[in-house]
Amino acid sequence: MVEDELASSVVWALSQYLTRKAEIGAKAYDAQLEDLLSQLEAKLSIPYLAEVFERFKENPADLVEVDVLRLNLAREIRDDPAFAQQLSLTLGGRTVSELKPGDTRKRWLGIAAVAAVVVALPVAFVLGRSTSSTPAALPETTKVNAATSTAAPITTTTATSTTSSSAPSTTAATPGVPGDGGTLAKGAPVLLSDLPRPNDKWTFQYGDHDVQLTQYQSSLWSTLTTCNSDYYSGTQQFRLKNFSRIEVKAVGTDSTSDPGLAVKFEIFVNNDTIHPVATALVNPGEAKPLAADLPANTFALTLRSSLTTVDKTVCRKGNAVWGSPYAVASGS
């Protein structure tokens, strides 16, 4: 069935990804698969399913945990077609290779164990919750040895889907001291949304958002309109030090914006709001990358998006989006 195939593709892709990530760390970062993880975490939020998902993330190479999650996910996909479509779009054409012949027996051993797990887990969960105020311990089950299991490889061909984007090429890091790139390895990326702000104030909105139909994680955006002079431009400032560069995967308007809007995107350093270190003029329908090297004495960044022209006879409105912006740490 289609839902079973989709569930298998999603779970095996994440199994391979999390296993690889545990082996090599930041170098394994994949924006599409991180997006899949976020979608599953949001969907599998009821206590029992949340525990199933956590067990899988802790042991992504364990065939029992893989199949428990796969079976539960297939059920959620059958019950929610919109969720199924979201997963399919995010997966972006990634496929899972067939298991090698030598793995067939291990695969069936895993499935046999799963039958007991799928039945036992909900019962144990309910009993645990009814007899104790502390989280119930999940039942011990016979597991296939993770060291002898082989997760099916996923194809590495870059997907051409327009619904997701590649964010920073390595896993976004969090400085030991907020905003201080000197507490990280040289070259480590830090999402701007994770940097400190003056008075902890947001003027931009933040989260996953699209730039011309392509989705970007951890984006920033502000609403611009020709109808109100207070919204001809928008700014957001961040505090940081010991960072050498800022990069934005794409800037432009989103899919809900008036198609006639043209926007200027500017990046300023410290207290200078006149001479930008980077500028992009984005015409209607366009999306452009934006990047700049930062001076050694940088202590603040200001992002500004503004309308290039204002025709007051026509009310145009839209969101100016900074797709997955991040700063690169200088290191200690």
Side-chain angles (χ1 to χ4, degrees), residues 130-148:
S130 63
T131 59
S132 173
S133 60
T134 58
L138 293 174
E140 290 296 326
T141 59
T142 301
K143 298 181 181 179
V144 177
N145 191 332
T148 63

PDB file of all heavy atoms in Angstrom, residues 130-148:
ATOM      1  N   SER A 130      -1.415   4.531  34.947  1.00  0.00           N
ATOM      2  CA  SER A 130      -2.503   4.396  35.922  1.00  0.00           C
ATOM      3  C   SER A 130      -2.008   4.016  37.310  1.00  0.00           C
ATOM      4  O   SER A 130      -2.740   4.125  38.286  1.00  0.00           O
ATOM      5  CB  SER A 130      -3.504   3.332  35.439  1.00  0.00           C
ATOM      6  OG  SER A 130      -2.871   2.062  35.358  1.00  0.00           O
ATOM      7  N   THR A 131      -0.763   3.535  37.427  1.00  0.00           N
ATOM      8  CA  THR A 131      -0.271   3.073  38.724  1.00  0.00           C
ATOM      9  C   THR A 131       0.817   3.935  39.303  1.00  0.00           C
ATOM     10  O   THR A 131       1.263   3.708  40.416  1.00  0.00           O
ATOM     11  CB  THR A 131       0.260   1.635  38.606  1.00  0.00           C
ATOM     12  OG1 THR A 131       1.315   1.603  37.635  1.00  0.00           O
ATOM     13  CG2 THR A 131      -0.844   0.680  38.161  1.00  0.00           C
ATOM     14  N   SER A 132       1.272   4.939  38.548  1.00  0.00           N
ATOM     15  CA  SER A 132       2.375   5.751  39.059  1.00  0.00           C
ATOM     16  C   SER A 132       2.327   7.125  38.449  1.00  0.00           C
ATOM     17  O   SER A 132       1.884   7.315  37.334  1.00  0.00           O
ATOM     18  CB  SER A 132       3.711   5.072  38.704  1.00  0.00           C
ATOM     19  OG  SER A 132       4.782   5.916  39.034  1.00  0.00           O
ATOM     20  N   SER A 133       2.813   8.096  39.190  1.00  0.00           N
ATOM     21  CA  SER A 133       2.878   9.463  38.671  1.00  0.00           C
ATOM     22  C   SER A 133       4.132   9.690  37.878  1.00  0.00           C
ATOM     23  O   SER A 133       4.324  10.736  37.289  1.00  0.00           O
ATOM     24  CB  SER A 133       2.818  10.465  39.835  1.00  0.00           C
ATOM     25  OG  SER A 133       3.919  10.249  40.703  1.00  0.00           O
ATOM     26  N   THR A 134       5.048   8.710  37.921  1.00  0.00           N
ATOM     27  CA  THR A 134       6.288   8.832  37.160  1.00  0.00           C
ATOM     28  C   THR A 134       6.144   8.112  35.852  1.00  0.00           C
ATOM     29  O   THR A 134       5.323   7.204  35.711  1.00  0.00           O
ATOM     30  CB  THR A 134       7.459   8.234  37.945  1.00  0.00           C
ATOM     31  OG1 THR A 134       7.168   6.859  38.222  1.00  0.00           O
ATOM     32  CG2 THR A 134       7.687   8.976  39.238  1.00  0.00           C
ATOM     33  N   PRO A 135       6.948   8.479  34.818  1.00  0.00           N
ATOM     34  CA  PRO A 135       6.820   7.833  33.517  1.00  0.00           C
ATOM     35  C   PRO A 135       7.011   6.327  33.637  1.00  0.00           C
ATOM     36  O   PRO A 135       7.919   5.842  34.307  1.00  0.00           O
ATOM     37  CB  PRO A 135       7.960   8.475  32.704  1.00  0.00           C
ATOM     38  CG  PRO A 135       8.200   9.790  33.366  1.00  0.00           C
ATOM     39  CD  PRO A 135       7.937   9.552  34.802  1.00  0.00           C
ATOM     40  N   ALA A 136       6.124   5.564  32.943  1.00  0.00           N
ATOM     41  CA  ALA A 136       6.212   4.110  32.994  1.00  0.00           C
ATOM     42  C   ALA A 136       7.398   3.617  32.197  1.00  0.00           C
ATOM     43  O   ALA A 136       7.683   4.113  31.122  1.00  0.00           O
ATOM     44  CB  ALA A 136       4.921   3.492  32.429  1.00  0.00           C
ATOM     45  N   ALA A 137       8.069   2.628  32.752  1.00  0.00           N
ATOM     46  CA  ALA A 137       9.171   2.017  32.018  1.00  0.00           C
ATOM     47  C   ALA A 137       8.592   1.132  30.937  1.00  0.00           C
ATOM     48  O   ALA A 137       7.658   0.371  31.165  1.00  0.00           O
ATOM     49  CB  ALA A 137      10.030   1.183  32.971  1.00  0.00           C
ATOM     50  N   LEU A 138       9.093   1.229  29.729  1.00  0.00           N
ATOM     51  CA  LEU A 138       8.612   0.411  28.636  1.00  0.00           C
ATOM     52  C   LEU A 138       9.109  -1.016  28.827  1.00  0.00           C
ATOM     53  O   LEU A 138      10.179  -1.247  29.385  1.00  0.00           O
ATOM     54  CB  LEU A 138       9.106   0.977  27.303  1.00  0.00           C
ATOM     55  CG  LEU A 138       8.502   2.329  26.961  1.00  0.00           C
ATOM     56  CD1 LEU A 138       9.148   2.880  25.708  1.00  0.00           C
ATOM     57  CD2 LEU A 138       7.001   2.226  26.772  1.00  0.00           C
ATOM     58  N   PRO A 139       8.337  -2.007  28.333  1.00  0.00           N
ATOM     59  CA  PRO A 139       8.700  -3.391  28.577  1.00  0.00           C
ATOM     60  C   PRO A 139       9.965  -3.783  27.869  1.00  0.00           C
ATOM     61  O   PRO A 139      10.277  -3.274  26.801  1.00  0.00           O
ATOM     62  CB  PRO A 139       7.495  -4.178  28.012  1.00  0.00           C
ATOM     63  CG  PRO A 139       6.929  -3.264  26.975  1.00  0.00           C
ATOM     64  CD  PRO A 139       7.118  -1.889  27.542  1.00  0.00           C
ATOM     65  N   GLU A 140      10.698  -4.722  28.517  1.00  0.00           N
ATOM     66  CA  GLU A 140      11.882  -5.251  27.871  1.00  0.00           C
ATOM     67  C   GLU A 140      11.451  -6.189  26.763  1.00  0.00           C
ATOM     68  O   GLU A 140      10.545  -6.997  26.922  1.00  0.00           O
ATOM     69  CB  GLU A 140      12.724  -6.037  28.887  1.00  0.00           C
ATOM     70  CG  GLU A 140      13.381  -5.150  29.913  1.00  0.00           C
ATOM     71  CD  GLU A 140      14.384  -4.208  29.273  1.00  0.00           C
ATOM     72  OE1 GLU A 140      15.020  -4.605  28.290  1.00  0.00           O
ATOM     73  OE2 GLU A 140      14.527  -3.086  29.758  1.00  0.00           O
ATOM     74  N   THR A 141      12.064  -6.101  25.595  1.00  0.00           N
ATOM     75  CA  THR A 141      11.729  -6.972  24.480  1.00  0.00           C
ATOM     76  C   THR A 141      13.002  -7.524  23.901  1.00  0.00           C
ATOM     77  O   THR A 141      14.076  -6.950  24.045  1.00  0.00           O
ATOM     78  CB  THR A 141      10.971  -6.200  23.381  1.00  0.00           C
ATOM     79  OG1 THR A 141      11.799  -5.140  22.940  1.00  0.00           O
ATOM     80  CG2 THR A 141       9.661  -5.646  23.899  1.00  0.00           C
ATOM     81  N   THR A 142      12.873  -8.665  23.234  1.00  0.00           N
ATOM     82  CA  THR A 142      14.016  -9.231  22.559  1.00  0.00           C
ATOM     83  C   THR A 142      14.305  -8.399  21.333  1.00  0.00           C
ATOM     84  O   THR A 142      13.433  -8.180  20.494  1.00  0.00           O
ATOM     85  CB  THR A 142      13.717 -10.682  22.121  1.00  0.00           C
ATOM     86  OG1 THR A 142      13.392 -11.430  23.286  1.00  0.00           O
ATOM     87  CG2 THR A 142      14.930 -11.283  21.420  1.00  0.00           C
ATOM     88  N   LYS A 143      15.525  -7.893  21.207  1.00  0.00           N
ATOM     89  CA  LYS A 143      15.877  -7.001  20.114  1.00  0.00           C
ATOM     90  C   LYS A 143      16.946  -7.620  19.238  1.00  0.00           C
ATOM     91  O   LYS A 143      17.788  -8.378  19.699  1.00  0.00           O
ATOM     92  CB  LYS A 143      16.396  -5.657  20.643  1.00  0.00           C
ATOM     93  CG  LYS A 143      15.376  -4.896  21.464  1.00  0.00           C
ATOM     94  CD  LYS A 143      15.955  -3.579  21.925  1.00  0.00           C
ATOM     95  CE  LYS A 143      14.974  -2.790  22.764  1.00  0.00           C
ATOM     96  NZ  LYS A 143      15.548  -1.519  23.231  1.00  0.00           N
ATOM     97  N   VAL A 144      16.900  -7.273  17.958  1.00  0.00           N
ATOM     98  CA  VAL A 144      17.976  -7.670  17.065  1.00  0.00           C
ATOM     99  C   VAL A 144      19.182  -6.829  17.406  1.00  0.00           C
ATOM    100  O   VAL A 144      19.072  -5.618  17.593  1.00  0.00           O
ATOM    101  CB  VAL A 144      17.560  -7.431  15.588  1.00  0.00           C
ATOM    102  CG1 VAL A 144      18.724  -7.776  14.661  1.00  0.00           C
ATOM    103  CG2 VAL A 144      16.339  -8.268  15.251  1.00  0.00           C
ATOM    104  N   ASN A 145      20.339  -7.395  17.522  1.00  0.00           N
ATOM    105  CA  ASN A 145      21.551  -6.679  17.881  1.00  0.00           C
ATOM    106  C   ASN A 145      21.830  -5.572  16.891  1.00  0.00           C
ATOM    107  O   ASN A 145      21.989  -5.816  15.700  1.00  0.00           O
ATOM    108  CB  ASN A 145      22.732  -7.659  17.905  1.00  0.00           C
ATOM    109  CG  ASN A 145      23.953  -7.028  18.540  1.00  0.00           C
ATOM    110  OD1 ASN A 145      24.112  -5.814  18.497  1.00  0.00           O
ATOM    111  ND2 ASN A 145      24.801  -7.841  19.132  1.00  0.00           N
ATOM    112  N   ALA A 146      21.852  -4.318  17.362  1.00  0.00           N
ATOM    113  CA  ALA A 146      22.071  -3.186  16.463  1.00  0.00           C
ATOM    114  C   ALA A 146      23.416  -3.267  15.777  1.00  0.00           C
ATOM    115  O   ALA A 146      23.601  -2.780  14.676  1.00  0.00           O
ATOM    116  CB  ALA A 146      21.960  -1.874  17.238  1.00  0.00           C
ATOM    117  N   ALA A 147      24.398  -3.873  16.456  1.00  0.00           N
ATOM    118  CA  ALA A 147      25.732  -3.935  15.872  1.00  0.00           C
ATOM    119  C   ALA A 147      25.771  -4.830  14.656  1.00  0.00           C
ATOM    120  O   ALA A 147      26.641  -4.706  13.798  1.00  0.00           O
ATOM    121  CB  ALA A 147      26.735  -4.455  16.905  1.00  0.00           C
ATOM    122  N   THR A 148      24.793  -5.789  14.536  1.00  0.00           N
ATOM    123  CA  THR A 148      24.800  -6.702  13.399  1.00  0.00           C
ATOM    124  C   THR A 148      23.778  -6.333  12.353  1.00  0.00           C
ATOM    125  O   THR A 148      23.663  -6.966  11.331  1.00  0.00           O
ATOM    126  CB  THR A 148      24.507  -8.140  13.869  1.00  0.00           C
ATOM    127  OG1 THR A 148      23.194  -8.184  14.435  1.00  0.00           O
ATOM    128  CG2 THR A 148      25.533  -8.584  14.893  1.00  0.00           C
TER     129      THR A 148
END
